[in-house]
Amino acid sequence: MKEWKGILREFQEFLPVTEKTPITTLGEGNTPLVLVNGLAQAIGFHGKLYLKNEGANAGTNSFKDRGMTVTVSKALEEDAKAIICASTGNTLAAAAAYAAAAQNAGMKLRCIGILPEQKVAAGKLSQALRFGAKVIRVRGSFDAALEVARYLAKNYPVTLVNSINPYRIEGQKTAAFEIWEQLGGRPPDYHFIPVGNGGNITAYWKGYREYKENWNRMAEGYKKLAPKMGVFEPMDPVQFLPKMMGYQAAGAAPIVRGERIERPKTFASAIRIGNPTFWNEAVAASSESGGKIDMVTDGEIRKAYDLIPELTGIFCEPASAACVAGLIKALQNEEMENTSDTVVVCTLTGNGLKDPTSARRGMSEPILFGADPGKIARFLQLV
Ligand code: F0G
């Protein structure tokens, strides 16, 4: 069995890693791309629907692990002693984990997290605290927390690890490389993704473009070599890139509404953001690719959040479900191709266990019985 060594080692040629970089990894990346025919059928999609299960990341069960392995490794290379981030939960969980992991190589790195006033999901906070981060909350939304984190990083010896830090995007783009390979050497026709601060859609778009260039360079090389060697299956150059389809929550949709939202509202707390850092880049990714940035209501997100686990066996957090809600909307509004050849990937950004409160809402407590198999069999309608 080939061991997966984490994205920094596996995609070294695409990342800013040098001989001096103390690689801090938890084995992140290499997440499953799962074909989900049952879900496709339920939502009236006739093509091939895949979920990129980023909740399966080996660090802290969200896509943030990809960016954080690069960011923390580079911070250590640059001799940082402390890192700081504002977060709706996942960024902090990942920052805290990789800061703790620095000790695996005998290094020390403090981690500070600034959270918004409104509660972040319990699983994410538990991760951050268990990894030993110093965590505070500030009055206001994520956007206020980010201003505080930026100020502290500018004025004190502490490295900002929010996605303004370019190493984050570099790490996150590797998910696009994996999808390309997992689809057998091509991108999907459409890529659906939730949008909060806009970093991840920016990262995927960068990843797809870089991989296409690299792929086509290799394909040209193979074409020249193939006749001489007589053994190669020549690779085909790829002519297209996916349409990037980004989805905000309707109560936190500054890009769609064209204005900052002072008090963003949505139960999908990870994307409760009113003034995205990557506003322009997210718009560019959607428009350059021929996709769009749209919004979905909390009701639509909830419906997707309910459907996905029951029909696929994959449990994601509410924010992740926003992209499937977006796919349902795009299908209903006939905004996309829907043939047997259409290939769609949805990124499920974080694991469902991150947010146990949302997970349990609307679900009843299991009934307690005496240990009486007959009674239980009747209740279960097994007889
Ligand atoms: N999905 C999840 C699970 C997230 O945690 C986030 C962002 C997003 C989607 C949106 O990604 O911001 O790159 O557009 N979470 C950040 C955090 C804000 O602090 O954990 P984006």
Side-chain angles (χ1 to χ4, degrees), residues 63-64 87-91 194-200 270-271 273 317 319 349:
F63 72 96
K64 304 288 182 178
S87 183
T88 56
N90 280 326
T91 296
V195 173
N197 212 20
N200 211 25
I271 52 172
I273 292 175
E317 63 170 284
T349 45

Side-chain angles (χ1 to χ4, degrees), residues 21-24 73 76-77 79-81 99-109:
T21 313
I23 291 181
T24 304
S73 299
L76 290 169
E77 183 179 337
D79 215 21
K81 298 289 178 252
Q103 293 169 92
N104 299 341
M107 284 179 276
K108 273 262 181 219
L109 191 62

